[in-house]
Amino acid sequence: MTAHREIERKFLVLDETWRDQVVGEPVVMRAGYVSRRKQASIRVRFEGEAAILTLKGLAIDPEGRERPEFNFPIPADQGAAILDSGMVDGGVIRKVRYTVQVGASLFEVDEFEHPRPGLVLAEIELPSADADFERPDWLGEEVTADSRYSNAVIAGEA
């Protein structure tokens, strides 16, 4: 289990030029929410073949950048059973995640396949809510506090 405060910023992606900075192999992801409540969400996510149960709490800052997060690896067969059991609130998100190196920073760029094909978001985890980072030209509007771009809301569309 990992427990920590997630400090993350999320952005729309303007174009395809980020692909030139991809490091490593893309990871196919599936995720479903057992609970999508505003106070706390509970998610089962597959990152490739690995299943993770995640609990996320409310943002503790007005910009929505920082919140408590707890991750628990679970057996893949149990993760699959939860996603396939009808216990998910909404549907299952499918996306491909790329790691993108920009200077000293690593971004995660997600290309959604379902339910919002064509949506591309970039996230960066930071050591503090006000930490500086290099902003590449392909990075668009910040949507960290815009709930329309939260995975929990997107799952409600699936």
Side-chain angles (χ1 to χ4, degrees), residues 24-154:
E25 294 298 316
V27 177
V28 175
M29 303 180 85
R30 294 184 304 136
Y33 286 78
V34 175
S35 173
R36 297 183 303 122
R37 294 178 347 150
K38 183 178 178 180
Q39 298 82 355
S41 64
I42 303 170
R43 171 186 76 201
V44 171
R45 176 164 72 189
F46 276 86
E47 298 177 5
E49 299 300 316
I52 301 164
L53 179 70
T54 300
L55 290 81
K56 289 190 177 192
L58 276 175
I60 59 173
D61 66 311
E63 294 85 18
R65 297 177 181 172
E66 188 174 351
R67 61 186 173 169
E69 178 183 276
F70 302 88
N71 293 297
F72 304 89
I74 60 173
D77 61 332
Q78 291 181 9
I82 292 168
L83 291 183
D84 296 337
S85 70
M87 292 174 54
V88 295
D89 179 10
V92 176
I93 294 172
R94 290 190 314 272
K95 63 186 179 181
V96 179
R97 174 165 286 172
Y98 301 85
T99 301
V100 178
Q101 182 85 46
V102 178
S105 299
L106 286 177
F107 287 84
E108 292 176 333
V109 175
D110 292 339
E111 283 188 305
F112 285 78
E113 296 177 345
H114 180 78
R116 288 193 200 171
L119 175 63
V120 182
L121 296 173
E123 299 177 352
I124 184 168
E125 288 208 22
L126 299 167
S128 65
D130 59 352
D132 288 329
F133 59 94
E134 186 176 337
R135 292 175 180 259
D137 292 340
W138 48 263
L139 202 63
E141 173 187 356
E142 183 167 1
V143 294
T144 303
D146 188 337
S147 64
R148 296 176 297 169
Y149 297 101
S150 80
N151 283 305
V153 169
I154 292 170

